[in-house]
Amino acid sequence: MADTDVVWPVGTTDQDPDLADRPLAFDPTGFLVAVLPGTVEAEEAAAALRAAGFADRQLRIFTGEQILADHARYVARMSRTRRVAAAVTDDQETLELYHGHARDGRSALWVHTADDDVAKRAIRALADSPALHIRHYGHRRQSDFCVQRPTS
């Protein structure tokens, strides 16, 4: 897959497939998510990643408001088939983690990581950031580095 062909598992930009056209099961394999205190900190973390060689097309920042609005829009447009699939496949703990941080006003920086070595490089680049939680959806396993849980 070319870098320009990245299919992001979240977000609703003009470049993304319509929410209704997304795969039935959420599969963020090959991505790293850093939850940061706010947009300023997310932008600074993205700048650190760029300095470490990551391209803009590998990075996406979502504000807490955007995360909650995207999810509400997605739920409102779900077909019956998608609702059944979500009931079986959605990880409620993960949804509560991300939505809890979003309700707290946190931002999420998503990084496309083609393999585990790229993810390790991203984590090193984020070492000086005030990340509250970093999750890597690796090809073999999921790894979490948690500093602070959401309050709401």
Side-chain angles (χ1 to χ4, degrees), residues 110-134:
W110 280 71
V111 185
H112 179 247
T113 55
D115 58 44
D116 290 348
D117 289 335
V118 175
K120 289 175 187 175
R121 188 164 53 92
I123 291 168
R124 284 192 301 274
L126 293 169
D128 291 331
S129 75
L132 305 172
H133 193 118
I134 296 175

Side-chain angles (χ1 to χ4, degrees), residues 31-36 45 49 97-98 101 109 111 113 119-120 122-137 142-148:
F31 288 90
L32 182 137
V33 184
V35 176
L36 293 125
L49 287 163
L97 173 73
Y98 290 148
H101 278 303
L109 169 60
V111 185
T113 55
K120 289 175 187 175
I123 291 168
R124 284 192 301 274
L126 293 169
D128 291 331
S129 75
L132 305 172
H133 193 118
I134 296 175
R135 176 172 284 177
H136 173 232
Y137 293 98
Q142 173 182 306
S143 302
D144 284 283
F145 309 91
C146 182
V147 176
Q148 180 179 332

Side-chain angles (χ1 to χ4, degrees), residues 38-71:
T39 307
V40 170
E41 294 86 354
E43 290 289 350
E44 290 169 352
L49 287 163
R50 285 185 204 97
F54 287 84
D56 283 335
R57 68 181 176 276
Q58 292 175 279
L59 310 173
R60 287 223 181 148
I61 294 173
F62 299 98
T63 66
E65 289 175 351
Q66 187 178 7
I67 292 165
L68 296 173
D70 282 353
H71 184 70

Side-chain angles (χ1 to χ4, degrees), residues 67-108:
I67 292 165
L68 296 173
D70 282 353
H71 184 70
R73 194 167 35 256
Y74 171 74
V75 169
R77 297 182 61 203
M78 289 175 89
S79 67
R80 182 182 310 255
T81 302
R82 193 168 289 275
R83 285 183 195 279
V84 169
V88 174
T89 63
D90 282 358
D91 177 356
Q92 290 304 312
E93 183 179 340
T94 295
L95 287 172
E96 278 307 309
L97 173 73
Y98 290 148
H99 295 161
H101 278 303
R103 286 188 296 273
D104 286 348
R106 312 300 187 202
S107 292

